[in-house]
Amino acid sequence: MNALHWATISPLLLAIIIPFIYKYARSIHTGWFVLALPTVLFVYFLSFIPTTSSGEVIEHSIPWIPSLGIHFNVYLDGLGLLFALLISGIGALVVLYSIFYLSKTKEQLNNFYVYLLMFMGAMLGVVLSDNLIVLYAFWELTSLASALLISYWSTREKSRYGAQKSMLITVFGGFMMLAGIILLYIMTNTFSIREIISQADIISSHELFIPAMLFIIIGAFTKSAQFPFHIWLPDAMEAPTPISAYLHSATMVKAGIYLVARFTPVFGGSETWFWILSLFGMATLLWGSLSAVRQKDLKGILAFSTISQLGLIMSLLGLGSAALYFNDGQANSLYYTAIVAAIFHLINHATFKGSLFMAAGIVDHETGTRDIRQLGGLMTIMPVTFTITLIGTAAMAGLPPFNGFLSKEMFFTAVVNATEFGIFNMETFGLAFPVIAWVASVFTFLYCCILFFQTFSGKFEPTNFKKVVHEAPIGMLISPVVLVSLVVIFGLFPNILSKSLIEPAVASVLPYLTAGEIGVDIYMWHGFNTELFMTFGVVILGVILYALMKKWIQLSIYKRERDPFNRFYDGALFTLSSGGKKFTDAYMTESFRRYLIYIFSFMVLFLGFMMVRLNVIDLVPERTAEISIHEITLVVVMIAGAITVALARTRLTALAGLGSLGFGMAIFFVLFRAPDLALTQLVIETVSTVLFLLCFYHLPLYKETKDSKPSKIVNAIVASGVGLVVTLLAISSHNNKLFEPLTEFFVNASYDEAGGKNMVNVILVDFRGFDTFFEIVVLVIAAIGIYAMIKGKVEEKEGL
Amino acid sequence: MEIIISILSGILFTIGTYLILSKNMTKIIIGTAVLSHGVHMLLLTMGGLKLGAAPLLGYEEAAYTDPLPQALILTAIVISFGVTSFLLVLAYRTYKVHGTDDMEKLRGMIDDD
C-alpha cells in the first residue's frame, strides 16, 4: 500500500479509535484529537501541487478483488487534488469549528466524530479512486455517513425525516450510478476510469451509450441536489451546523459535480450530455434562487442557495462539454471558458458558503434562533460575525472585490459565449441561457440582501431572544475568518489559484488540452463589456426588488416556505407504503382456503398452459393392459366410495366411504401384483379407521361447519381443474418413457447380490435402505409429536 | 386399463382437493387421505400395470412387474399414515384449545382477538 492509500483510508482508521479516546479522555474535547488528521492530510495534499500542475498524475494500485477486475487504485490528477484539498482543508476548519460549537458534556461526541471521519474517508475515496466499483463503495458510504449525521439528534422527528429522505434519494441515485457503471463495464470490459476514457470512441458509438450516460447523470444529480432531486437538501439542514457547512455545502453535494467532471471526457461532446446538464443545471439555478427568497430560516436560505449554486456549476460543466465536440486540439477559449468558470466557482462556493454556514451557526448558537423574522440589529453586538457574513454574502451575490464577483463574471462570459457555439441548435435556444442566468442572479442578489440585512440591520430587540446575545468565542470564529480571508484573497489575487489548481483541474476535465495551453488569467477589471453591464443590471434590479419587499412580502407565494416538489415525494412515499399494505392485505387474508385456492389455481393454470403450449397432450397410449370385468367392478366401487366421502352429511358416512376407498386400494394392489402393498394397505387402513373413530369422539359434529354455496362452487371448479390436469398428465405421459425401467437389474441382482427373493423388500432394506431409515424416523417423530400433543400442557395464555 | 385408472385417480384428486378446500378441519384431513390414495394409485399406474408376475423371484416367471414403484409406494403409505395420524391429533388438540374446528375462525394471531 502506498502512502496515498493510507491517506485515503486514514480517516476511517481513526474513526475506529475515536470511541476509545472519547471514553478514556473525557476531560478533553474529542475534536482536538480529530483535528490533527485533516490538517496533516491537507498539508500532505498540498505537497502534490507541483506534480499535478506540471501535468503529471500519480497512481498506485493494490488488488482488492482481482478476479473481478476490482482494484483499490488511487489516482491523483488536477481534479482529484482540487477536491482532496477542499475535503481535507474545509474538514480541518469544520472540526475546529465543531469543537466550539458542540458541547463536551451535552453531546455524544464519539458518534459525531466517528460519522464525520467516516464521511471524510469516504469522500477522499470517491475523489481519489480510479476504479468505479471502489468509487461506488465510497459513494454509498458518503450517503450513509450523511444520513447518520443528519439524524445526529435522532430524538427529533424532523432529523429522522430528513435523514430518511436524503438516504432514499441519494441511494436511489447510487443504484442508478451502479447500473451506469455496469453498462460501462459491458462496453469497455474495465472498471478503470482512465481506461474507459481511453476507449471513449468505442463508447460513443455503442448502443448503450445513452442509457449509461443517463444512469450516471441521475447518480450525479441526486447527490448534487439537482432539480428535481433537490428536495432532500433543505431537509438535511436538521443536521448540526458544522455538518451542513461541510457536507451540504462544500463537499458531499459536490460529489455529483466531481462525477460529471470526471466523466466529461467520456460523455462530453454529445448533444444529450450537453443539453441535459445545461438545462437541468439552469433549472436548478433558477428554482433554487427563487425558492431561497421564500425561506425564513437562515439555513433554509443557505440550503436553497447551495442548490442554486450547484445548478450554476452543473450548467457550466454542460456548456463547457461542447469543447469536446470540437476537440480540434486547439485551445479555443470560446468553448472551454465554461469549464474554467465551473472549477473556479466550485472553489469559491466552497469558501464563501462554508463561512456563511458557520456564521449562521454562530448566530443560531448565540441567539437561540435562526428565524429571520426574529433576528435583526446584530451588527454592533456581533461585529466579527457581521463582517464574515458581509463578505460571504457579497461574494455570493457576486459583488467586487470578492471571488464571487469573478466567478459570476466568468459565468456570464460562458453563457454569452454559449450563444455563439453554432451547434446543438444553440443558435435557436442559446439566448435563453444568458436570460435565465441573469434572472437567477437577480434573485441571488435578492436573497443575499434578505439574509444579510434581516439578520444584522434594523433595531435590536433583546426580548426576542431567549439568551443574552453576545459575540461568539474566538475559537468558533477562527474557521469562518480563515474562509472569508480566502474569499478576499482569491478575489484580489485570483491568479494564485490558476496555475496551481484551476489549470490542472481543467486539463483533467478536457484531456485534449494540456495545462500550459489553457492559460487561465483572471482579472478583477476587464473593461466595460457585456458581463459588467449584466452585473450592473443585477445590482440595480436586486436593490429595487429588496426596496419593494414590503409590497411583495404579502404575496401568498412568498409565504409558502416548503418546496412544492415535496408534495410528490411525500405523496409517492405514502402511496408506496399504503399501497403496499393494501396490496398485501388484499391477498394475504389469513384464510387457509384462499391460500390453497391460489396454490391449486396456479398449479392448474401453469401445468395446463405448459401442456397446451408444448403440445404434449396425447390421449392414445400405445401399450396398455387389457381391461377385465372384476377390475371394472373395483373401479366402480371406488368411485362410489369417493363420491360418498364427498357428499357425506355425517362423519360416519364419510368414514365409511373413506374405508371403502382404502380397502378398495388394497384390492387394487392385489389385482396389480403388489402383495406387500396390499398387506400394508390393509393394516394401515384398519388402524387409520380406528384412529379416525377415536378422534371423532372428541370432535364436534360434522355438519356444524358448513360451506356456503358459492364457495362450494368455487371449490368444485378448482378441484375439477386439479383432477383434469392430473388425469391428462397421467395419460399423456404414458408414451413418453424415455428409458427402460430398472426391473431387469432388480430381477438379476436381488438374489445374487442381496440374497433375497422378495424384490420389494430387498429394495426397501438393501438397495434403497436410506429411504426406509428416514421413513422410520418420520414415524418416530410423528409418534413423539402425537404423544406431546396429547400429554403436553399448553400454558394458559390470554386469548386462548 | 391405464386410462381408466388414470381417470379414477383424477376423480380421487378432484374429491381430495374439494375436501381440502372445505372449512371443516375433519374434512380437510379426510381430503388428504383421499389425495394420498390418488397419488399411490398414480405411482403404481405410471410403472405400468400387469406386466408380469408379482415381484417375488420364487415364481420363475419370464417377466415381473416393476418392484421399484411398489417400494416407493410402501414408503409413501407409511409416511402418509404418520402424517394423517398426526393431523388427526392436531385437530383434536386444536378443537380442545380453541373450541372450534372451523378453519375460517382460526385466523389471525392470538393477540388479534
Side-chain angles (χ1 to χ4, degrees):
Chain A
M1 272 173 81
N2 183 265
L4 210 50
H5 282 114
W6 286 111
T8 310
I9 61 164
S10 58
L12 302 176
L13 297 176
L14 183 59
I16 298 172
I17 310 168
I18 286 299
F20 298 103
I21 297 178
Y22 176 72
K23 195 175 174 192
Y24 295 110
R26 289 300 288 260
S27 53
I28 308 166
H29 196 289
T30 316
W32 291 113
F33 297 100
V34 180
L35 184 60
L37 181 73
T39 318
V40 171
L41 283 178
F42 182 70
V43 175
Y44 173 69
F45 286 125
L46 276 180
S47 72
F48 287 105
I49 286 184
T51 322
T52 53
S53 55
S54 64
E56 285 171 44
V57 293
I58 294 151
E59 47 178 310
H60 295 285
S61 175
I62 48 168
W64 182 15
I65 313 172
S67 57
L68 299 176
I70 297 170
H71 307 271
F72 183 17
N73 289 0
V74 284
Y75 177 78
L76 190 73
D77 62 355
L79 189 67
L81 182 66
L82 169 64
F83 274 89
L85 284 172
L86 283 181
I87 293 159
S88 53
I90 297 183
L93 295 174
V94 160
V95 171
L96 179 64
Y97 177 78
S98 69
I99 292 172
F100 296 92
Y101 188 86
L102 292 174
S103 157
K104 188 168 67 183
T105 45
K106 289 179 199 150
E107 305 285 358
Q108 286 287 314
L109 290 175
N110 51 346
N111 293 349
F112 182 82
Y113 287 108
V114 166
Y115 301 158
L116 186 72
L117 285 167
M118 203 166 113
F119 170 78
M120 195 183 288
M123 200 62 209
L124 283 175
V126 166
V127 299
L128 295 177
S129 299
D130 180 55
N131 193 287
L132 282 173
I133 294 294
V134 179
L135 187 148
Y136 170 74
F138 283 121
W139 183 275
E140 292 295 30
L141 193 56
T142 64
S143 298
L144 183 66
S146 164
L148 285 170
L149 284 164
I150 295 169
S151 59
Y152 176 63
W153 288 308
S154 56
T155 46
R156 299 183 190 169
E157 166 88 41
K158 273 187 160 182
S159 300
R160 295 198 302 270
Y161 172 80
Q164 187 203 35
K165 192 177 194 177
S166 80
M167 188 85 178
L168 283 175
I169 293 179
T170 54
V171 169
F172 159 76
F175 280 145
M176 288 291 157
M177 191 180 101
L178 183 62
I181 291 171
I182 289 164
L183 291 185
L184 282 172
Y185 182 80
I186 292 169
M187 285 187 267
T188 60
N189 212 23
T190 175
F191 283 124
S192 161
I193 299 175
R194 271 172 312 114
E195 287 170 30
I196 288 173
I197 290 173
S198 69
Q199 298 186 44
D201 295 338
I202 301 172
I203 298 170
S204 58
S205 56
H206 201 279
E207 56 187 351
L208 293 175
F209 177 69
I210 297 286
M213 178 203 287
L214 292 180
F215 283 135
I216 298 277
I217 288 181
I218 291 176
F221 275 15
T222 49
K223 199 74 163 181
S224 281
Q226 296 294 299
F227 187 86
F229 303 115
H230 63 277
I231 48 170
W232 68 266
L233 191 63
D235 285 308
M237 292 301 127
E238 295 302 323
T241 304
I243 296 311
S244 308
Y246 188 37
L247 272 68
H248 306 126
S249 77
T251 52
M252 188 182 87
V253 287
K254 294 201 170 106
I257 303 279
Y258 169 80
L259 193 73
V260 164
R262 197 39 108 198
F263 275 105
T264 297
V266 182
F267 298 116
S270 81
E271 194 172 345
T272 326
W273 179 263
F274 176 88
W275 277 110
I276 291 180
L277 290 189
S278 48
L279 278 186
F280 278 88
M282 281 289 169
T284 315
L285 167 66
L286 189 61
W287 183 253
S289 63
L290 289 175
S291 308
V293 174
R294 294 203 314 260
Q295 301 300 308
K296 311 291 183 291
D297 173 47
L298 284 183
K299 280 174 87 177
I301 299 177
L302 290 173
F304 277 104
S305 144
T306 303
I307 291 170
S308 157
Q309 307 271 319
L310 290 169
L312 186 154
I313 300 173
M314 196 64 90
S315 67
L316 282 174
L317 286 175
L319 292 175
S321 72
L324 285 160
Y325 175 80
F326 297 102
N327 201 6
D328 50 3
Q330 298 281 313
N332 189 340
S333 68
L334 184 64
Y335 310 121
Y336 73 74
T337 355
I339 301 283
V340 177
I343 301 290
F344 188 42
H345 193 71
L346 180 87
I347 303 168
N348 295 342
H349 178 253
T351 55
F352 65 69
K353 193 54 64 68
S355 63
L356 282 175
F357 263 110
M358 290 176 186
I362 291 171
V363 170
D364 184 18
H365 203 265
E366 305 306 331
T367 64
T369 180
R370 295 194 313 245
D371 194 318
I372 55 168
R373 287 164 298 193
Q374 289 180 27
L375 293 167
L378 296 177
M379 196 191 299
T380 48
I381 297 159
M382 305 170 81
V384 184
T385 317
F386 162 74
T387 317
I388 293 165
T389 318
L390 174 67
I391 298 173
T393 43
M396 188 156 76
L399 295 178
F402 306 111
N403 58 4
F405 171 70
L406 301 170
S407 48
K408 180 139 297 186
E409 293 293 283
M410 290 168 76
F411 169 55
F412 284 155
T413 313
V415 288
V416 171
N417 279 353
T419 58
E420 296 169 25
F421 280 180
I423 50 161
F424 306 151
N425 294 325
M426 277 302 278
E427 59 275 13
T428 328
F429 305 107
L431 201 61
F433 286 101
V435 173
I436 297 174
W438 188 78
V439 173
S441 297
V442 171
F443 280 94
T444 306
F445 189 88
L446 182 62
Y447 71 69
C448 287
C449 287
I450 295 175
L451 180 74
F452 178 70
F453 290 113
Q454 304 269 332
T455 314
F456 292 102
S457 71
K459 223 177 131 225
F460 179 66
E461 303 270 0
T463 47
N464 273 355
F465 308 109
K466 290 173 212 138
K467 299 179 176 178
V468 182
V469 180
H470 56 80
E471 183 58 277
I474 183 96
M476 217 185 226
L477 291 168
I478 298 173
S479 302
V481 165
V482 170
L483 284 172
V484 287
S485 315
L486 289 176
V487 169
V488 177
I489 293 168
F490 294 161
L492 296 175
F493 314 102
N495 285 321
I496 55 165
L497 288 176
S498 53
K499 281 274 172 295
S500 54
L501 286 177
I502 299 177
E503 285 180 16
V506 173
S508 327
V509 182
L510 301 173
Y512 77 95
L513 293 173
T514 50
E517 260 187 315
I518 302 167
V520 176
D521 206 359
I522 309 164
Y523 303 100
M524 183 61 78
W525 177 251
H526 36 262
F528 288 101
N529 50 14
T530 329
E531 296 84 2
L532 194 64
F533 287 113
M534 283 169 84
T535 305
F536 283 144
V538 166
V539 175
I540 293 165
L541 200 67
V543 170
I544 294 173
L545 274 176
Y546 184 68
L548 296 177
M549 203 171 156
K550 287 220 164 52
K551 294 250 163 72
W552 53 261
I553 207 165
Q554 309 297 337
L555 292 172
S556 62
I557 183 111
Y558 175 74
K559 300 214 168 96
R560 222 173 284 142
E561 212 176 322
R562 211 165 136 72
D563 197 297
F565 285 92
N566 281 310
R567 281 223 329 263
F568 295 107
Y569 169 81
D570 293 334
L573 209 59
F574 176 76
T575 316
L576 203 66
S577 62
S578 72
K581 187 168 163 26
K582 263 185 207 151
F583 177 68
T584 310
D585 286 348
Y587 75 96
M588 297 300 288
T589 54
E590 299 183 342
S591 158
F592 179 68
R593 173 173 164 265
R594 195 68 86 88
Y595 298 160
L596 283 175
I597 286 179
Y598 300 149
I599 296 170
F600 284 128
S601 311
F602 177 77
M603 184 192 115
V604 170
L605 293 176
F606 181 72
L607 281 178
F609 173 75
M610 288 313 279
M611 282 198 293
V612 172
R613 203 194 135 126
L614 300 175
N615 199 19
V616 291
I617 297 176
D618 176 7
L619 297 180
V620 193
E622 283 163 8
R623 188 187 54 177
T624 50
E626 76 279 14
I627 305 165
S628 62
I629 185 76
H630 48 280
E631 289 158 0
I632 286 294
T633 321
L634 177 69
V635 168
V636 171
V637 168
M638 285 187 79
I639 292 176
I643 292 172
T644 315
V645 177
L647 301 181
R649 284 170 181 275
T650 65
R651 46 191 193 194
L652 266 182
T653 324
L655 190 59
L658 188 65
S660 74
L661 264 185
F663 290 113
M665 280 298 285
I667 300 168
F668 173 80
F669 289 140
V670 170
L671 287 179
F672 295 110
R673 317 277 194 275
D676 298 288
L677 291 186
L679 278 173
T680 318
Q681 180 65 35
L682 268 175
V683 174
I684 286 207
E685 195 51 44
T686 317
V687 178
S688 320
T689 310
V690 172
L691 258 176
F692 268 104
L693 282 171
L694 260 174
C695 267
F696 282 178
Y697 178 73
H698 298 280
L699 286 174
L701 285 178
Y702 204 52
K703 50 184 174 185
E704 265 181 20
T705 44
K706 258 192 176 168
D707 294 292
S708 64
K709 197 145 196 188
S711 70
K712 267 187 186 174
I713 293 169
V714 174
N715 292 357
I717 292 170
V718 173
S720 324
V722 172
L724 188 68
V725 163
V726 167
T727 309
L728 285 178
L729 200 65
I731 299 175
S732 305
S733 58
H734 262 292
N735 286 349
N736 290 312
K737 298 224 179 339
L738 298 176
F739 45 80
E740 281 301 303
L742 292 174
T743 323
E744 278 310 302
F745 166 79
F746 292 120
V747 171
N748 295 333
S750 283
Y751 189 71
D752 299 340
E753 288 180 23
K757 289 185 175 175
N758 183 333
M759 282 183 257
V760 175
N761 287 3
V762 167
I763 292 173
L764 282 174
V765 298
D766 196 317
F767 293 127
R768 298 182 60 88
F770 268 119
D771 288 1
T772 315
F773 178 73
F774 288 109
E775 163 198 340
I776 293 167
V777 174
V778 168
L779 268 191
V780 169
I781 292 173
I784 294 171
I786 289 168
Y787 180 81
M789 200 116 62
I790 292 172
K791 288 283 180 187
K793 290 261 190 298
V794 180
E795 277 177 52
E796 288 295 324
K797 280 185 194 153
E798 278 174 68
L800 281 183
Chain B
M1 195 66 225
E2 275 87 347
I3 295 179
I4 291 172
I5 300 296
S6 295
I7 293 170
L8 175 59
S9 67
I11 291 170
L12 290 184
F13 265 86
T14 307
I15 285 168
T17 312
Y18 179 76
L19 288 171
I20 285 176
L21 289 174
S22 137
K23 58 182 183 177
N24 184 310
M25 216 184 289
T26 324
K27 279 193 187 174
I28 292 172
I29 298 168
I30 293 175
T32 57
V34 176
L35 206 59
S36 60
H37 286 323
V39 173
H40 301 156
M41 194 171 267
L42 213 53
L43 267 173
L44 198 68
T45 318
M46 290 290 99
L49 294 174
K50 290 202 281 190
L51 294 172
L56 300 167
L57 282 173
Y59 283 110
E60 298 294 340
E61 287 272 340
Y64 293 96
T65 3
D66 196 346
L68 192 60
Q70 298 194 12
L72 297 181
I73 295 168
L74 199 64
T75 311
I77 289 175
V78 175
I79 290 174
S80 62
F81 167 69
V83 172
T84 308
S85 36
F86 185 80
L87 280 181
L88 267 172
V89 179
L90 187 66
Y92 154 76
R93 184 79 202 206
T94 311
Y95 179 65
K96 269 195 104 176
V97 174
H98 292 284
T100 179
D101 66 341
D102 185 348
M103 291 305 288
E104 294 295 308
K105 285 185 187 157
L106 291 167
R107 283 157 84 163
M109 315 275 284
I110 294 171
D111 309 335
D112 281 359
D113 28 51

